[in-house]
Amino acid sequence: MNKAEAMSCVYKNPNAPIEDRIKDLVSRMTLQEKIGQMTQIELCVATLDDVRNLSIGSMVSGAGKAPLEKVMPSDWAETVDRFQQAALDSRLGIPLAYGIDAVHGNNRFYGATIFPHNIGLGATGDADLAQRIGAAVALEVRASGIHFNFAPCVAVCRDPRWGRCYESFSEDTNIVRKMTSIITGLQGQPPVRHPKGYPFVAGRHNIIACAKHFVGDGGTENGINEGNNISSYDDLERIHMAPYLDCLNQGVSTVMASYSSWNGCKLHAQHFLLTEILKDKLGFKGFLISDWKALDRLSEPRGSNYRHCVYTAINAGIDMVMVPYRYKQFIEDLTSLVESGEIKMSRIDDAVERILRVKFVAALFEYPFSDRSLLDTVGCKLHRELAREAVRKSLVLLKNEKNPGKPFLPLKKNAKRVLIAGTHADDLGYQCGGWTRYWQGSSGRITIGTSILDAFREVMGEETEVIYEKYPSPNTLAESNFSFAVVAVGEEPYAESAGDNSELVIPLNGSELISTIADRIPTLVILISGRPLLIEPWLLEKMDALIAAWLPGTEGRGITDVVFGDYEFEGRLPMTWFRTTKQLPINNGDNSFDPLFPLGFGLTCSKEKTTE
């Protein structure tokens, strides 16, 4: 297309109404180009020629792929820009929307700010904080050249056995609804009277957000990931669908369908929920994207009879498919289904219009490339201070005295001798949890940050001797001159089905370690976990103080800010804390409600706080 032709194209005119631009561009597209726009492919299989020649609509860096060691955002920006140029060199020059899972910061990249996972943010109950975090994440994502974030997860987790519990803000629908403000941070603030359900992205410093996973993924039977939500439509709507109304009100641009089922029917095959409810009744005008290889899960064995899987999902209402590998087969099968009339051209046009609407709204046609001026925002001091604020506001104080009337916290900074112990005291990977650098997370110094041990060493006075032993020796424990011990234990990182857990005991012999130390030294326990874990009464009795710190991310100083009394505890439980796993699922308001700690529980250093 020469310059004169380009100037005559309505879709190239940034001043033309978006719906006119969509209509003009769709009218120029071939079937192959339309299907290309519906296709999202993985970086590791993508070629510049295929992106250009097939008019591929989106690319993804799958979280399961190990990132290059200490790869910098600038390197990713170069890669994304290279593929973006290939897309722009296609016949119609339609830009890519490049996507990634930046679920608690730009978590794939070394040196990025890692914020607390959603369960910790839910404990803050602070909608303004969530919005500010969204804005920070948007900057760090855009710095790497990426336009599209598969976040936030707005699942309502009703069972801590679910391996994605920490991706949920709360078991309480109202808390989840409140925390959807992170979308406004990611995408920007829509203007007054912005049409409900119409996508919105404010500018080049914002990103395309994705509300997921529609719908009911947090309410599956026995908390099984990708399992079956058995419920009436009224309960599904009241508990699990309600947060999506808030997302639509904020102009969320995309929605991701859930791997899970509703009353036995896979969500990716659910025309009633995806099309009749989400699109028609709720008025969603953005695009609906599948989850990773979700179409393969529509048949057994997985990936068999792929043509039928494509037929089912596209007719159900899926607009863009995260294929992510065998994209040529997907394109071939979808083309065949349209040419045979099994999928109507009107369904294809609807999907493509929705995809283009988001791209126009996000100004990808005007600003397709990365903005290198944003690189300095990655892991910057301002963002780390924000993450530190989030950590201290997320901490829930569950116990603060062994003897009545003698609170253990706050600790004294000038204590003579202190023992720091536990598997999670000096492990950034454990502290950050899953979805950090790698899909399942990892252990050790996987990125830049401050561990719990680092934080205590920075804060304690020069006269204080800080002894660190992950597993204290008998000789160390025999010494009687410790002012106090800090024991940090909890879960190893996990994601999705690998995190499904029916026992929920403290891993790595955490209970035994706590008991051994607390028998000899006054002990503060810091529990690092993505959910409530089993705390036996005998163990709780031994502790002098107990903090639920969730998965706090890179800024361990947020913990010392509070335990030494510079800030008060503000966190409240976003989940009911069960007594035994036999009670599960247990939620606020259940008839036999007898938790160890109720939803909304949280102490300060002086008194108990509960929800109103």
Side-chain angles (χ1 to χ4, degrees):
M1 185 181 297
N2 60 40
K3 187 173 181 180
E5 290 173 325
M7 291 298 291
S8 67
C9 295
V10 174
Y11 83 88
K12 293 279 190 179
N13 180 2
N15 298 316
I18 285 177
E19 295 303 310
D20 291 350
R21 298 177 77 184
I22 295 169
K23 183 178 179 181
D24 177 64
L25 181 49
V26 171
S27 72
R28 299 170 185 271
M29 297 174 71
T30 65
L31 176 60
Q32 178 179 299
E33 288 167 332
K34 291 176 180 178
I35 290 175
Q37 286 300 298
M38 297 171 66
T39 309
Q40 186 179 70
I41 66 176
E42 223 284 342
L43 172 64
C44 69
V45 298
T47 68
L48 296 173
D49 285 344
D50 279 350
V51 168
R52 181 189 308 108
N53 297 332
L54 299 176
S55 191
I56 296 299
S58 184
M59 288 177 59
V60 57
S61 287
K65 294 294 177 182
L68 298 174
E69 188 64 25
K70 297 189 179 180
V71 68
M72 302 305 291
S74 57
D75 300 320
W76 278 93
E78 289 177 10
T79 299
V80 175
D81 283 351
R82 190 166 68 250
F83 280 97
Q84 187 67 283
Q85 186 60 63
L88 296 175
D89 289 341
S90 64
R91 185 179 75 92
L92 294 172
I94 305 173
L96 287 167
Y98 201 108
I100 199 167
D101 288 280
V103 298
H104 65 142
N106 197 0
N107 40 257
R108 187 175 176 84
F109 302 115
Y110 183 86
T113 310
I114 305 300
F115 295 89
H117 267 298
N118 283 355
I119 192 168
L121 298 186
T124 73
D126 190 333
D128 175 71
L129 175 65
Q131 183 174 329
R132 288 185 283 133
I133 289 172
V137 172
L139 289 173
E140 296 202 20
V141 171
R142 287 307 295 257
S144 59
I146 292 169
H147 328 94
F148 183 10
N149 185 12
F150 308 128
C153 175
V154 294
V156 179
C157 178
R158 305 291 283 178
D159 193 325
R161 291 174 292 186
W162 185 36
R164 305 190 80 154
C165 179
Y166 64 79
E167 295 185 56
S168 168
F169 292 112
S170 178
E171 74 176 47
D172 184 278
T173 302
N174 290 329
I175 294 174
V176 177
R177 296 187 71 168
K178 185 177 182 180
M179 302 306 286
T180 62
S181 60
I182 196 170
I183 290 171
T184 294
L186 292 167
Q187 296 192 158
Q189 179 70 56
V192 178
R193 299 188 186 88
H194 181 79
K196 176 187 174 184
Y198 199 92
F200 176 81
V201 181
R204 296 181 67 189
H205 293 174
N206 296 96
I207 52 177
I208 297 164
C210 180
K212 65 183 188 183
H213 308 83
F214 192 83
V215 60
D217 50 333
T220 59
E221 189 176 19
N222 298 321
I224 296 172
N225 190 48
E226 303 184 22
N228 188 24
N229 184 315
I230 302 172
S231 63
S232 67
Y233 175 76
D234 286 347
D235 283 347
L236 185 75
E237 182 179 56
R238 176 178 57 85
I239 297 170
H240 299 284
M241 200 180 296
Y244 288 89
L245 302 180
D246 300 271
C247 298
L248 296 183
N249 285 337
Q250 295 173 72
V252 71
S253 295
T254 69
V255 172
M256 184 181 291
S258 177
Y259 284 131
S260 60
S261 302
W262 178 51
N263 293 330
C265 179
K266 293 277 190 182
L267 261 296
H268 280 77
Q270 259 283 359
H271 182 273
F272 170 68
L273 291 176
L274 300 185
T275 297
E276 295 178 44
I277 298 299
L278 179 61
K279 293 181 175 181
D280 296 342
K281 180 181 177 181
L282 301 183
F284 175 57
K285 301 299 183 186
F287 70 80
L288 183 59
I289 186 169
S290 80
D291 209 331
W292 176 273
K293 293 178 73 173
L295 271 62
D296 296 57
R297 288 160 161 80
L298 296 179
S299 61
E300 289 294 340
R302 287 186 179 182
S304 62
N305 198 4
Y306 194 63
R307 188 177 188 272
H308 181 71
C309 297
V310 174
Y311 165 83
T312 301
I314 300 301
N315 277 331
I318 298 294
D319 301 311
M320 180 180 282
V321 174
M322 195 184 299
V323 180
Y325 300 125
R326 48 176 177 169
Y327 58 93
K328 291 183 179 179
Q329 182 178 349
F330 168 75
I331 290 171
E332 179 182 331
D333 286 343
L334 183 50
T335 301
S336 170
L337 287 162
V338 175
E339 290 175 342
S340 69
E342 293 169 83
I343 294 179
K344 294 180 180 178
M345 196 65 203
S346 59
R347 171 76 272 269
I348 300 299
D349 285 344
D350 172 63
V352 174
E353 287 167 5
R354 291 170 175 274
I355 293 164
L356 294 178
R357 182 174 294 120
V358 171
K359 291 184 177 184
F360 282 126
V361 161
L364 294 186
F365 284 81
E366 290 70 48
Y367 304 105
F369 296 111
S370 60
D371 182 352
R372 304 304 173 91
S373 71
L374 298 178
L375 286 171
D376 288 342
T377 68
V378 178
C380 68
K381 182 178 179 181
L382 186 66
H383 290 175
R384 291 188 182 277
E385 286 296 322
L386 176 60
R388 181 173 170 176
E389 176 189 348
V391 173
R392 63 177 176 253
K393 288 183 174 180
S394 70
L395 302 177
V396 180
L397 181 59
L398 297 176
K399 180 180 178 181
N400 191 29
E401 57 182 30
K402 183 182 289 185
N403 302 310
K406 295 183 178 180
F408 190 66
L409 299 179
L411 300 176
K412 294 180 180 180
K413 295 180 182 179
N414 60 353
K416 293 290 185 182
R417 200 159 186 260
V418 174
L419 175 64
I420 309 290
T423 49
H424 291 58
D426 192 32
D427 196 310
L428 271 178
Y430 283 6
Q431 195 169 298
C432 293
W435 296 102
T436 311
R437 301 293 318 287
Y438 310 89
W439 174 38
Q440 294 290 332
S442 188
S443 62
R445 295 273 168 176
I446 61 173
T447 190
I448 299 170
T450 304
S451 72
I452 294 170
L453 175 62
D454 294 335
F456 272 86
R457 281 179 168 161
E458 289 176 16
V459 171
M460 299 294 287
E462 292 182 2
E463 302 300 318
T464 301
E465 183 183 6
V466 177
I467 305 297
Y468 167 63
E469 293 181 18
K470 182 186 291 187
Y471 298 104
S473 67
N475 288 340
T476 298
L477 292 176
E479 299 175 19
S480 59
N481 58 345
F482 286 108
S483 300
F484 58 82
V486 177
V487 181
V489 294
E491 294 187 295
E492 297 173 280
Y494 56 82
E496 301 192 37
S497 296
D500 283 358
N501 187 332
S502 60
E503 297 180 352
L504 297 177
V505 297
I506 302 174
L508 305 171
N509 297 316
S511 295
E512 291 81 354
L513 182 61
I514 294 168
S515 177
T516 299
I517 296 174
D519 278 342
R520 295 162 177 82
I521 307 169
T523 298
L524 162 65
V525 175
I526 300 174
L527 187 62
I528 305 293
S529 68
R531 52 194 162 191
L533 298 178
L534 180 63
I535 301 174
E536 300 279 6
W538 64 265
L539 184 64
L540 183 62
E541 178 64 27
K542 291 187 177 188
M543 304 175 193
D544 291 87
L546 171 62
I547 297 170
W550 315 111
L551 298 171
T554 53
E555 305 312 303
R557 280 294 299 274
I559 294 174
T560 50
D561 283 344
V562 179
V563 300
F564 286 107
D566 295 323
Y567 293 84
E568 182 58 274
F569 283 90
E570 296 184 42
R572 302 183 185 188
L573 286 181
M575 300 279 297
T576 298
W577 205 293
F578 60 91
R579 289 184 183 276
T580 73
T581 54
K582 292 179 180 179
Q583 293 177 301
L584 298 175
I586 181 173
N587 299 114
N588 188 44
D590 290 349
N591 289 333
S592 56
F593 193 63
D594 181 29
L596 183 63
F597 302 107
L599 174 76
F601 180 86
L603 303 173
T604 65
C605 285
S606 56
K607 61 182 179 179
E608 180 177 337
K609 295 193 321 184
T610 56
T611 51
E612 296 299 327

